[in-house]
Structures are given as C-alpha cells and as structure tokens.
Amino acid sequence: MSGTALTLALSKGRIFDETLPLLKAAGIEVLEDPEKSRKLILATNRPEVRVVLVRASDVPTYVQYGGADLGITGKDILLEHGSQGLYLPLDLRIAKCRVSVAVRADFDYASAVRQGSRLRVATKYVAIAREFFAAKGVHVDLIKLYGSMELAPLTGLADAIVDLVSTGNTLKANHLVEVERIMDISSHLVVNQAALKLKQAALRPIIDAFAAAVKQD
Ligand code: PRT
Ligand code: MG
C-alpha cells in the first residue's frame, strides 16, 4: 500500500452515481459497478483508497465511529442522526431534494392547522418533523415509519406525511399534494474528526478537489 489508507462510505444508487464525478475530479476511480457486483468493499485505482457500501442512513454511524474515514450523506440523514464526532467540511450539492409536508388531495390541511386540531403525521424524519411543527405551534402525534410514507394518508394511518420530494411524481401518483416545504436537502461530505487530524495529508487534497468540483447553480 502506498500512502495512508482511506475508507470512503457511500450508499448505492443516487449518492453513489452523483459522487463518481467528484471522485474523478480527485483522481479516484471506483473499479467495480455496485449494481453488477455483490461486493460491499470496492477497490479504486488508488491502492490506498477503498469504498465501502452501506445503507444511506448508516453512513454517519460508520464515519462517526471510524469504520470509514469519510462519507457522503444527505442533510436529512445528518439532521436525524446528529453530527457528533463528525466534521462537515462541504455541501456537495448533489442528490438534491426537499423535505415537505404532504396530505391527501381531499384533506383540508390549512383549516386543520388553523383550528389547532391535533395532526397525525407519519414520517421517517421524526426529528425534522418534531422541530418544524413545534416551531409552528402545531400539535402533532408523530408516527415513525421506515419506508413508503405515501401509504400512510391513503390508509388512514395518518393525516399527513413528512417525506422527501424531488420531482413530485411519487406524490402525484398517490393522489397526495405537497402543502408545505420544510427545507431544501443536498448531500454533504462528512469526515471522522480523529481521521481529519491523523490523516490530514491524505484527506486534504480530496476535500479540496471535491470543493473545486462542486457545481454552483
Ligand atoms: O432506499 P433505501 O431505503 O435503501 O435508503 P434511503 O432512502 O435512505 O436511500 P436513498 O439512496 O434512496 O436516498 C439517499 C439520499 O438521497 C436521501 O437521504 C436524500 O438525501 C437523497 N435524495 C434525493 C432522495 C431523493 N432525492 C428522493 N427523491 N431520497 C429519496 N427520495 C425518494 C423519496 O423518499 C420519495 O419516496 O424518492 C421519492 C420521491 O421522489 P419524486 O421524484 O417522485 O418526488
Ligand atoms: Mg430510498
């Protein structure tokens, strides 16, 4: 091995795909396609750099505890996880979307909020939702889900959902409407705080190359 070993945690799918051009700008090419292989550790053209594939919501945990030196994860996931033990040098402006409140097209959200009724809200984003409704002074019962939030208002499980929206097609296909936009989301580079000190020489050029390659729009 040449140089300090570095492990980068990524999730498959949009984050992996949108990270490839940034890696390329840093002179790093992943040698395997995660969609074609079952491997969880991927080699790169740089013998000292490897990529580990983890569930999107596990990226902060890997980096926090040093299972990876750095990782890329959505702001949504960081807000739910918290950023203890993590250094966040960069908004990469990839995998953009927003966190929104959505309801059934026939649900009168505005008057429910106006009348101060207690809203039942299903979400994977309990921390984001709790803070948002508390700031509005809306009383909510939060129901934690792990997926397919869109189903909750359709089955009577909840009045509203808090979920990620990108094109809006998923909401539309399920007869839901976006009634509030809570915040814009993009993915961030996260670095283990100890690694930042101990592996500074190896990490700095990668952080700088990513920073230079971030799209400004
Ligand atoms: O999918 P899995 O359960 O394994 O994990 P995950 O959903 O945590 O990961 P992944 O890879 O789907 O998402 C990783 C990150 O991508 C998220 O944490 C976000 O920061 C970001 N991202 C950007 C998105 C979207 N856009 C997005 N559209 N994550 C999810 N979606 C989903 C959304 O939840 C909804 O179901 O896509 C659907 C809406 O898309 P539209 O285009 O129909 O509006
Ligand atoms: Mg997903």
Side-chain angles (χ1 to χ4, degrees):
M1 262 195 193
S2 65
T4 313
L6 282 181
T7 300
L8 166 65
L10 294 176
S11 54
K12 274 209 246 185
R14 69 191 101 222
I15 290 189
F16 185 89
D17 298 343
E18 294 189 40
T19 297
L20 288 182
L22 297 172
L23 285 174
K24 195 152 192 224
I28 300 167
E29 282 174 54
V30 184
L31 299 177
E32 270 149 319
D33 178 353
E35 302 302 334
K36 290 188 184 133
S37 145
R38 286 170 180 270
K39 286 191 189 169
L40 298 174
I41 300 181
L42 308 178
T44 74
N45 64 323
R46 300 249 304 263
E48 77 282 14
V49 181
R50 63 180 188 168
V51 169
V52 292
L53 295 175
V54 304
R55 188 82 189 258
S57 46
D58 290 335
V59 167
T61 307
Y62 270 83
V63 176
Q64 178 183 356
Y65 294 106
D69 300 297
L70 68 172
I72 296 175
T73 188
K75 183 80 185 294
D76 49 317
I77 288 169
L78 277 172
L79 288 170
E80 292 297 315
H81 176 89
S83 46
Q84 59 281 23
L86 300 174
Y87 170 63
L88 279 71
L90 216 48
D91 178 356
L92 298 172
R93 305 173 65 95
I94 59 170
K96 286 186 183 176
C97 57
R98 55 195 185 268
V99 186
S100 291
V101 182
V103 298
R104 270 168 63 149
D106 60 3
F107 180 79
D108 192 348
Y109 176 77
S111 43
V113 165
R114 204 179 327 111
Q115 288 158 12
S117 18
R118 223 179 156 81
L119 273 186
R120 284 207 300 173
V121 179
T123 188
K124 180 172 152 184
Y125 303 102
V126 172
I128 294 172
R130 183 180 295 115
E131 196 183 330
F132 174 73
F133 288 110
K136 276 175 75 80
V138 174
H139 295 287
V140 290
D141 290 318
L142 293 172
I143 301 170
K144 167 87 185 185
L145 290 178
Y146 293 88
S148 300
M149 264 103 37
E150 298 85 5
L151 203 52
L154 306 179
T155 55
L157 177 68
D159 304 311
I161 59 171
V162 168
D163 194 8
L164 301 179
V165 181
S166 166
T167 60
N169 291 338
T170 305
L171 293 181
K172 209 172 293 163
N174 291 292
H175 310 289
L176 300 175
V177 290
E178 189 177 0
V179 286
E180 297 216 59
R181 181 190 273 239
I182 299 180
M183 66 175 75
D184 289 328
I185 296 291
S186 55
S187 281
H188 290 242
L189 180 63
V190 296
V191 180
N192 175 274
Q193 277 177 353
L196 184 71
K197 296 196 190 90
L198 299 169
K199 300 185 177 183
Q200 170 86 251
L203 283 167
R204 188 43 67 186
I206 295 177
I207 298 172
D208 290 347
F210 279 12
V214 168
K215 286 204 185 68
Q216 302 298 336
D217 55 20

mmCIF file of all heavy atoms in Angstrom, residues 156-200:
data_model
loop_
_atom_site.group_PDB
_atom_site.id
_atom_site.type_symbol
_atom_site.label_atom_id
_atom_site.label_comp_id
_atom_site.label_asym_id
_atom_site.label_seq_id
_atom_site.Cartn_x
_atom_site.Cartn_y
_atom_site.Cartn_z
ATOM 1 N N GLY A 156 -55.395 5.809 6.148
ATOM 2 C CA GLY A 156 -55.952 6.336 7.389
ATOM 3 C C GLY A 156 -54.995 6.225 8.570
ATOM 4 O O GLY A 156 -55.347 6.547 9.703
ATOM 5 N N LEU A 157 -53.769 5.797 8.309
ATOM 6 C CA LEU A 157 -52.777 5.730 9.394
ATOM 7 C C LEU A 157 -52.435 7.134 9.891
ATOM 8 O O LEU A 157 -52.172 7.341 11.066
ATOM 9 C CB LEU A 157 -51.515 5.014 8.902
ATOM 10 C CG LEU A 157 -50.359 4.913 9.886
ATOM 11 C CD1 LEU A 157 -50.710 3.997 11.057
ATOM 12 C CD2 LEU A 157 -49.092 4.404 9.213
ATOM 13 N N ALA A 158 -52.413 8.098 8.968
ATOM 14 C CA ALA A 158 -52.034 9.463 9.348
ATOM 15 C C ALA A 158 -52.782 10.481 8.502
ATOM 16 O O ALA A 158 -53.292 10.152 7.430
ATOM 17 C CB ALA A 158 -50.529 9.645 9.169
ATOM 18 N N ASP A 159 -52.827 11.741 8.989
ATOM 19 C CA ASP A 159 -53.410 12.839 8.210
ATOM 20 C C ASP A 159 -52.406 13.372 7.204
ATOM 21 O O ASP A 159 -52.765 13.859 6.138
ATOM 22 C CB ASP A 159 -53.768 14.021 9.135
ATOM 23 C CG ASP A 159 -54.701 13.605 10.256
ATOM 24 O OD1 ASP A 159 -55.712 12.942 9.957
ATOM 25 O OD2 ASP A 159 -54.412 13.935 11.430
ATOM 26 N N ALA A 160 -51.133 13.336 7.602
ATOM 27 C CA ALA A 160 -50.090 13.974 6.794
ATOM 28 C C ALA A 160 -48.823 13.142 6.866
ATOM 29 O O ALA A 160 -48.662 12.309 7.769
ATOM 30 C CB ALA A 160 -49.822 15.388 7.319
ATOM 31 N N ILE A 161 -47.935 13.380 5.908
ATOM 32 C CA ILE A 161 -46.601 12.773 5.973
ATOM 33 C C ILE A 161 -45.557 13.867 5.858
ATOM 34 O O ILE A 161 -45.824 14.949 5.316
ATOM 35 C CB ILE A 161 -46.364 11.725 4.851
ATOM 36 C CG1 ILE A 161 -46.526 12.356 3.456
ATOM 37 C CG2 ILE A 161 -47.311 10.541 5.026
ATOM 38 C CD1 ILE A 161 -46.098 11.433 2.316
ATOM 39 N N VAL A 162 -44.379 13.582 6.377
ATOM 40 C CA VAL A 162 -43.214 14.415 6.124
ATOM 41 C C VAL A 162 -42.242 13.515 5.391
ATOM 42 O O VAL A 162 -41.824 12.484 5.917
ATOM 43 C CB VAL A 162 -42.620 14.958 7.439
ATOM 44 C CG1 VAL A 162 -41.247 15.574 7.199
ATOM 45 C CG2 VAL A 162 -43.558 15.991 8.050
ATOM 46 N N ASP A 163 -41.942 13.877 4.138
ATOM 47 C CA ASP A 163 -41.106 12.990 3.317
ATOM 48 C C ASP A 163 -40.274 13.816 2.345
ATOM 49 O O ASP A 163 -40.505 15.017 2.178
ATOM 50 C CB ASP A 163 -41.993 12.007 2.539
ATOM 51 C CG ASP A 163 -41.206 10.840 1.933
ATOM 52 O OD1 ASP A 163 -40.000 10.691 2.217
ATOM 53 O OD2 ASP A 163 -41.815 10.069 1.157
ATOM 54 N N LEU A 164 -39.334 13.138 1.712
ATOM 55 C CA LEU A 164 -38.519 13.785 0.692
ATOM 56 C C LEU A 164 -39.302 13.842 -0.610
ATOM 57 O O LEU A 164 -39.997 12.893 -0.970
ATOM 58 C CB LEU A 164 -37.228 12.988 0.461
ATOM 59 C CG LEU A 164 -36.334 12.796 1.671
ATOM 60 C CD1 LEU A 164 -35.109 11.961 1.287
ATOM 61 C CD2 LEU A 164 -35.902 14.134 2.244
ATOM 62 N N VAL A 165 -39.171 14.957 -1.289
ATOM 63 C CA VAL A 165 -39.805 15.135 -2.587
ATOM 64 C C VAL A 165 -38.722 15.617 -3.548
ATOM 65 O O VAL A 165 -37.913 16.481 -3.211
ATOM 66 C CB VAL A 165 -40.926 16.199 -2.523
ATOM 67 C CG1 VAL A 165 -41.596 16.350 -3.896
ATOM 68 C CG2 VAL A 165 -41.955 15.843 -1.460
ATOM 69 N N SER A 166 -38.740 15.025 -4.734
ATOM 70 C CA SER A 166 -37.788 15.503 -5.728
ATOM 71 C C SER A 166 -38.570 16.023 -6.933
ATOM 72 O O SER A 166 -38.805 17.226 -7.061
ATOM 73 C CB SER A 166 -36.828 14.362 -6.045
ATOM 74 O OG SER A 166 -36.101 14.622 -7.176
ATOM 75 N N THR A 167 -39.048 15.153 -7.800
ATOM 76 C CA THR A 167 -39.866 15.620 -8.928
ATOM 77 C C THR A 167 -41.319 15.863 -8.525
ATOM 78 O O THR A 167 -42.039 16.592 -9.208
ATOM 79 C CB THR A 167 -39.874 14.571 -10.057
ATOM 80 O OG1 THR A 167 -40.435 13.360 -9.529
ATOM 81 C CG2 THR A 167 -38.481 14.298 -10.571
ATOM 82 N N GLY A 168 -41.776 15.208 -7.461
ATOM 83 C CA GLY A 168 -43.179 15.279 -7.069
ATOM 84 C C GLY A 168 -44.022 14.171 -7.703
ATOM 85 O O GLY A 168 -45.216 14.042 -7.416
ATOM 86 N N ASN A 169 -43.394 13.356 -8.542
ATOM 87 C CA ASN A 169 -44.139 12.302 -9.243
ATOM 88 C C ASN A 169 -44.711 11.246 -8.303
ATOM 89 O O ASN A 169 -45.810 10.743 -8.527
ATOM 90 C CB ASN A 169 -43.255 11.611 -10.289
ATOM 91 C CG ASN A 169 -42.943 12.536 -11.457
ATOM 92 O OD1 ASN A 169 -43.674 13.503 -11.695
ATOM 93 N ND2 ASN A 169 -41.861 12.256 -12.170
ATOM 94 N N THR A 170 -43.974 10.920 -7.260
ATOM 95 C CA THR A 170 -44.447 9.894 -6.321
ATOM 96 C C THR A 170 -45.702 10.383 -5.596
ATOM 97 O O THR A 170 -46.666 9.636 -5.444
ATOM 98 C CB THR A 170 -43.336 9.534 -5.313
ATOM 99 O OG1 THR A 170 -42.183 9.156 -6.038
ATOM 100 C CG2 THR A 170 -43.766 8.395 -4.395
ATOM 101 N N LEU A 171 -45.680 11.639 -5.162
ATOM 102 C CA LEU A 171 -46.870 12.195 -4.505
ATOM 103 C C LEU A 171 -48.050 12.164 -5.463
ATOM 104 O O LEU A 171 -49.141 11.699 -5.113
ATOM 105 C CB LEU A 171 -46.606 13.634 -4.034
ATOM 106 C CG LEU A 171 -45.584 13.825 -2.909
ATOM 107 C CD1 LEU A 171 -45.448 15.301 -2.552
ATOM 108 C CD2 LEU A 171 -45.979 13.017 -1.667
ATOM 109 N N LYS A 172 -47.820 12.664 -6.676
ATOM 110 C CA LYS A 172 -48.892 12.751 -7.675
ATOM 111 C C LYS A 172 -49.502 11.378 -7.959
ATOM 112 O O LYS A 172 -50.718 11.221 -7.990
ATOM 113 C CB LYS A 172 -48.327 13.351 -8.977
ATOM 114 C CG LYS A 172 -49.350 14.118 -9.790
ATOM 115 C CD LYS A 172 -48.691 14.854 -10.973
ATOM 116 C CE LYS A 172 -47.757 15.984 -10.535
ATOM 117 N NZ LYS A 172 -46.833 16.401 -11.634
ATOM 118 N N ALA A 173 -48.640 10.389 -8.110
ATOM 119 C CA ALA A 173 -49.111 9.032 -8.433
ATOM 120 C C ALA A 173 -49.980 8.470 -7.311
ATOM 121 O O ALA A 173 -50.766 7.549 -7.531
ATOM 122 C CB ALA A 173 -47.923 8.116 -8.685
ATOM 123 N N ASN A 174 -49.825 9.012 -6.108
ATOM 124 C CA ASN A 174 -50.590 8.514 -4.961
ATOM 125 C C ASN A 174 -51.642 9.519 -4.481
ATOM 126 O O ASN A 174 -52.122 9.411 -3.351
ATOM 127 C CB ASN A 174 -49.627 8.131 -3.833
ATOM 128 C CG ASN A 174 -48.807 6.904 -4.205
ATOM 129 O OD1 ASN A 174 -49.346 5.813 -4.312
ATOM 130 N ND2 ASN A 174 -47.525 7.089 -4.462
ATOM 131 N N HIS A 175 -51.980 10.473 -5.349
ATOM 132 C CA HIS A 175 -53.034 11.467 -5.055
ATOM 133 C C HIS A 175 -52.761 12.246 -3.777
ATOM 134 O O HIS A 175 -53.657 12.513 -2.992
ATOM 135 C CB HIS A 175 -54.412 10.795 -4.993
ATOM 136 C CG HIS A 175 -54.675 9.924 -6.188
ATOM 137 N ND1 HIS A 175 -54.907 10.445 -7.444
ATOM 138 C CD2 HIS A 175 -54.669 8.583 -6.334
ATOM 139 C CE1 HIS A 175 -55.046 9.451 -8.305
ATOM 140 N NE2 HIS A 175 -54.911 8.312 -7.660
ATOM 141 N N LEU A 176 -51.486 12.578 -3.592
ATOM 142 C CA LEU A 176 -51.109 13.404 -2.444
ATOM 143 C C LEU A 176 -50.640 14.758 -2.956
ATOM 144 O O LEU A 176 -50.154 14.863 -4.090
ATOM 145 C CB LEU A 176 -49.979 12.734 -1.649
ATOM 146 C CG LEU A 176 -50.290 11.354 -1.065
ATOM 147 C CD1 LEU A 176 -49.045 10.767 -0.409
ATOM 148 C CD2 LEU A 176 -51.435 11.426 -0.048
ATOM 149 N N VAL A 177 -50.803 15.785 -2.113
ATOM 150 C CA VAL A 177 -50.326 17.110 -2.506
ATOM 151 C C VAL A 177 -49.367 17.655 -1.448
ATOM 152 O O VAL A 177 -49.527 17.441 -0.250
ATOM 153 C CB VAL A 177 -51.493 18.113 -2.732
ATOM 154 C CG1 VAL A 177 -52.276 17.749 -3.981
ATOM 155 C CG2 VAL A 177 -52.407 18.174 -1.530
ATOM 156 N N GLU A 178 -48.375 18.380 -1.954
ATOM 157 C CA GLU A 178 -47.374 18.988 -1.092
ATOM 158 C C GLU A 178 -47.983 20.268 -0.537
ATOM 159 O O GLU A 178 -48.360 21.154 -1.295
ATOM 160 C CB GLU A 178 -46.157 19.308 -1.972
ATOM 161 C CG GLU A 178 -44.929 19.751 -1.259
ATOM 162 C CD GLU A 178 -43.775 19.954 -2.244
ATOM 163 O OE1 GLU A 178 -43.940 19.751 -3.473
ATOM 164 O OE2 GLU A 178 -42.699 20.336 -1.771
ATOM 165 N N VAL A 179 -48.071 20.383 0.795
ATOM 166 C CA VAL A 179 -48.698 21.576 1.361
ATOM 167 C C VAL A 179 -47.701 22.505 2.053
ATOM 168 O O VAL A 179 -48.004 23.670 2.275
ATOM 169 C CB VAL A 179 -49.851 21.210 2.328
ATOM 170 C CG1 VAL A 179 -51.073 20.733 1.543
ATOM 171 C CG2 VAL A 179 -49.427 20.168 3.351
ATOM 172 N N GLU A 180 -46.549 21.997 2.414
ATOM 173 C CA GLU A 180 -45.513 22.866 2.979
ATOM 174 C C GLU A 180 -44.154 22.302 2.622
ATOM 175 O O GLU A 180 -43.935 21.097 2.664
ATOM 176 C CB GLU A 180 -45.609 22.915 4.517
ATOM 177 C CG GLU A 180 -46.894 23.494 5.026
ATOM 178 C CD GLU A 180 -46.678 24.320 6.278
ATOM 179 O OE1 GLU A 180 -45.900 25.305 6.221
ATOM 180 O OE2 GLU A 180 -47.288 23.966 7.293
ATOM 181 N N ARG A 181 -43.237 23.218 2.330
ATOM 182 C CA ARG A 181 -41.857 22.836 2.067
ATOM 183 C C ARG A 181 -41.072 23.144 3.341
ATOM 184 O O ARG A 181 -41.008 24.307 3.767
ATOM 185 C CB ARG A 181 -41.346 23.666 0.892
ATOM 186 C CG ARG A 181 -39.947 23.379 0.467
ATOM 187 C CD ARG A 181 -39.485 24.433 -0.523
ATOM 188 N NE ARG A 181 -39.874 24.059 -1.880
ATOM 189 C CZ ARG A 181 -38.962 23.887 -2.864
ATOM 190 N NH1 ARG A 181 -37.687 24.069 -2.652
ATOM 191 N NH2 ARG A 181 -39.372 23.560 -4.065
ATOM 192 N N ILE A 182 -40.516 22.141 3.961
ATOM 193 C CA ILE A 182 -39.824 22.357 5.241
ATOM 194 C C ILE A 182 -38.391 22.838 5.028
ATOM 195 O O ILE A 182 -37.962 23.808 5.630
ATOM 196 C CB ILE A 182 -39.851 21.079 6.116
ATOM 197 C CG1 ILE A 182 -41.302 20.679 6.431
ATOM 198 C CG2 ILE A 182 -39.047 21.282 7.397
ATOM 199 C CD1 ILE A 182 -41.445 19.430 7.283
ATOM 200 N N MET A 183 -37.655 22.150 4.173
ATOM 201 C CA MET A 183 -36.278 22.592 3.895
ATOM 202 C C MET A 183 -35.724 21.923 2.641
ATOM 203 O O MET A 183 -36.188 20.862 2.248
ATOM 204 C CB MET A 183 -35.342 22.296 5.071
ATOM 205 C CG MET A 183 -35.144 20.822 5.334
ATOM 206 S SD MET A 183 -33.918 20.501 6.630
ATOM 207 C CE MET A 183 -34.859 20.936 8.067
ATOM 208 N N ASP A 184 -34.737 22.587 2.044
ATOM 209 C CA ASP A 184 -34.029 22.002 0.911
ATOM 210 C C ASP A 184 -32.949 21.065 1.432
ATOM 211 O O ASP A 184 -32.333 21.335 2.470
ATOM 212 C CB ASP A 184 -33.401 23.095 0.052
ATOM 213 C CG ASP A 184 -34.458 23.877 -0.718
ATOM 214 O OD1 ASP A 184 -35.484 23.273 -1.080
ATOM 215 O OD2 ASP A 184 -34.264 25.084 -0.938
ATOM 216 N N ILE A 185 -32.716 20.005 0.681
ATOM 217 C CA ILE A 185 -31.769 18.966 1.089
ATOM 218 C C ILE A 185 -30.744 18.745 -0.018
ATOM 219 O O ILE A 185 -31.081 18.777 -1.200
ATOM 220 C CB ILE A 185 -32.532 17.626 1.324
ATOM 221 C CG1 ILE A 185 -33.518 17.733 2.493
ATOM 222 C CG2 ILE A 185 -31.569 16.451 1.500
ATOM 223 C CD1 ILE A 185 -32.906 17.867 3.859
ATOM 224 N N SER A 186 -29.503 18.511 0.400
ATOM 225 C CA SER A 186 -28.483 18.046 -0.544
ATOM 226 C C SER A 186 -27.541 17.161 0.261
ATOM 227 O O SER A 186 -27.687 17.048 1.478
ATOM 228 C CB SER A 186 -27.747 19.235 -1.160
ATOM 229 O OG SER A 186 -27.218 20.029 -0.124
ATOM 230 N N SER A 187 -26.590 16.546 -0.413
ATOM 231 C CA SER A 187 -25.687 15.657 0.319
ATOM 232 C C SER A 187 -24.396 16.368 0.687
ATOM 233 O O SER A 187 -23.918 17.238 -0.035
ATOM 234 C CB SER A 187 -25.396 14.393 -0.498
ATOM 235 O OG SER A 187 -26.484 13.507 -0.384
ATOM 236 N N HIS A 188 -23.865 15.961 1.832
ATOM 237 C CA HIS A 188 -22.677 16.595 2.397
ATOM 238 C C HIS A 188 -21.545 15.595 2.561
ATOM 239 O O HIS A 188 -21.796 14.413 2.780
ATOM 240 C CB HIS A 188 -23.007 17.195 3.771
ATOM 241 C CG HIS A 188 -23.905 18.388 3.680
ATOM 242 N ND1 HIS A 188 -23.526 19.642 4.098
ATOM 243 C CD2 HIS A 188 -25.158 18.523 3.195
ATOM 244 C CE1 HIS A 188 -24.507 20.500 3.878
ATOM 245 N NE2 HIS A 188 -25.523 19.838 3.339
ATOM 246 N N LEU A 189 -20.334 16.114 2.495
ATOM 247 C CA LEU A 189 -19.169 15.314 2.833
ATOM 248 C C LEU A 189 -19.029 15.321 4.350
ATOM 249 O O LEU A 189 -19.117 16.379 4.979
ATOM 250 C CB LEU A 189 -17.925 15.928 2.182
ATOM 251 C CG LEU A 189 -16.608 15.199 2.430
ATOM 252 C CD1 LEU A 189 -16.637 13.788 1.834
ATOM 253 C CD2 LEU A 189 -15.444 15.988 1.809
ATOM 254 N N VAL A 190 -18.857 14.154 4.940
ATOM 255 C CA VAL A 190 -18.630 14.068 6.384
ATOM 256 C C VAL A 190 -17.306 13.349 6.618
ATOM 257 O O VAL A 190 -16.974 12.397 5.916
ATOM 258 C CB VAL A 190 -19.781 13.351 7.140
ATOM 259 C CG1 VAL A 190 -21.075 14.143 7.035
ATOM 260 C CG2 VAL A 190 -20.010 11.941 6.632
ATOM 261 N N VAL A 191 -16.545 13.843 7.593
ATOM 262 C CA VAL A 191 -15.218 13.288 7.847
ATOM 263 C C VAL A 191 -15.109 12.959 9.332
ATOM 264 O O VAL A 191 -15.575 13.724 10.183
ATOM 265 C CB VAL A 191 -14.113 14.305 7.444
ATOM 266 C CG1 VAL A 191 -12.724 13.741 7.712
ATOM 267 C CG2 VAL A 191 -14.248 14.708 5.973
ATOM 268 N N ASN A 192 -14.515 11.809 9.637
ATOM 269 C CA ASN A 192 -14.266 11.432 11.026
ATOM 270 C C ASN A 192 -13.288 12.435 11.648
ATOM 271 O O ASN A 192 -12.250 12.743 11.062
ATOM 272 C CB ASN A 192 -13.696 10.016 11.062
ATOM 273 C CG ASN A 192 -13.284 9.583 12.450
ATOM 274 O OD1 ASN A 192 -12.171 9.863 12.876
ATOM 275 N ND2 ASN A 192 -14.180 8.923 13.151
ATOM 276 N N GLN A 193 -13.619 12.932 12.831
ATOM 277 C CA GLN A 193 -12.820 14.010 13.425
ATOM 278 C C GLN A 193 -11.389 13.588 13.753
ATOM 279 O O GLN A 193 -10.458 14.366 13.576
ATOM 280 C CB GLN A 193 -13.525 14.579 14.655
ATOM 281 C CG GLN A 193 -14.581 15.614 14.245
ATOM 282 C CD GLN A 193 -15.380 16.165 15.410
ATOM 283 O OE1 GLN A 193 -15.253 15.707 16.546
ATOM 284 N NE2 GLN A 193 -16.235 17.134 15.135
ATOM 285 N N ALA A 194 -11.218 12.364 14.207
ATOM 286 C CA ALA A 194 -9.859 11.893 14.509
ATOM 287 C C ALA A 194 -9.069 11.715 13.217
ATOM 288 O O ALA A 194 -7.896 12.103 13.127
ATOM 289 C CB ALA A 194 -9.904 10.593 15.298
ATOM 290 N N ALA A 195 -9.719 11.152 12.195
ATOM 291 C CA ALA A 195 -9.050 10.946 10.903
ATOM 292 C C ALA A 195 -8.607 12.276 10.309
ATOM 293 O O ALA A 195 -7.546 12.379 9.692
ATOM 294 C CB ALA A 195 -9.971 10.213 9.933
ATOM 295 N N LEU A 196 -9.429 13.299 10.522
ATOM 296 C CA LEU A 196 -9.093 14.612 9.973
ATOM 297 C C LEU A 196 -7.726 15.075 10.483
ATOM 298 O O LEU A 196 -6.941 15.677 9.750
ATOM 299 C CB LEU A 196 -10.166 15.630 10.345
ATOM 300 C CG LEU A 196 -9.964 17.005 9.731
ATOM 301 C CD1 LEU A 196 -10.234 16.963 8.229
ATOM 302 C CD2 LEU A 196 -10.842 18.042 10.391
ATOM 303 N N LYS A 197 -7.438 14.768 11.747
ATOM 304 C CA LYS A 197 -6.142 15.157 12.308
ATOM 305 C C LYS A 197 -5.043 14.187 11.883
ATOM 306 O O LYS A 197 -3.986 14.582 11.423
ATOM 307 C CB LYS A 197 -6.227 15.190 13.837
ATOM 308 C CG LYS A 197 -7.194 16.243 14.350
ATOM 309 C CD LYS A 197 -6.967 16.524 15.833
ATOM 310 C CE LYS A 197 -8.093 17.393 16.397
ATOM 311 N NZ LYS A 197 -9.210 16.564 16.920
ATOM 312 N N LEU A 198 -5.333 12.869 12.019
ATOM 313 C CA LEU A 198 -4.286 11.870 11.803
ATOM 314 C C LEU A 198 -3.988 11.626 10.324
ATOM 315 O O LEU A 198 -2.901 11.187 9.971
ATOM 316 C CB LEU A 198 -4.679 10.549 12.475
ATOM 317 C CG LEU A 198 -4.876 10.640 13.991
ATOM 318 C CD1 LEU A 198 -5.518 9.366 14.544
ATOM 319 C CD2 LEU A 198 -3.542 10.927 14.683
ATOM 320 N N LYS A 199 -4.998 11.854 9.469
ATOM 321 C CA LYS A 199 -4.821 11.561 8.047
ATOM 322 C C LYS A 199 -4.978 12.825 7.205
ATOM 323 O O LYS A 199 -5.353 12.769 6.027
ATOM 324 C CB LYS A 199 -5.839 10.502 7.609
ATOM 325 C CG LYS A 199 -5.706 9.186 8.377
ATOM 326 C CD LYS A 199 -6.660 8.128 7.830
ATOM 327 C CE LYS A 199 -6.461 6.803 8.556
ATOM 328 N NZ LYS A 199 -7.332 5.737 7.984
ATOM 329 N N GLN A 200 -4.692 13.935 7.829
ATOM 330 C CA GLN A 200 -4.819 15.258 7.207
ATOM 331 C C GLN A 200 -4.205 15.316 5.799
ATOM 332 O O GLN A 200 -4.838 15.787 4.851
ATOM 333 C CB GLN A 200 -4.132 16.252 8.156
ATOM 334 C CG GLN A 200 -3.920 17.635 7.638
ATOM 335 C CD GLN A 200 -5.143 18.505 7.882
ATOM 336 O OE1 GLN A 200 -5.838 18.847 6.938
ATOM 337 N NE2 GLN A 200 -5.408 18.847 9.137
#
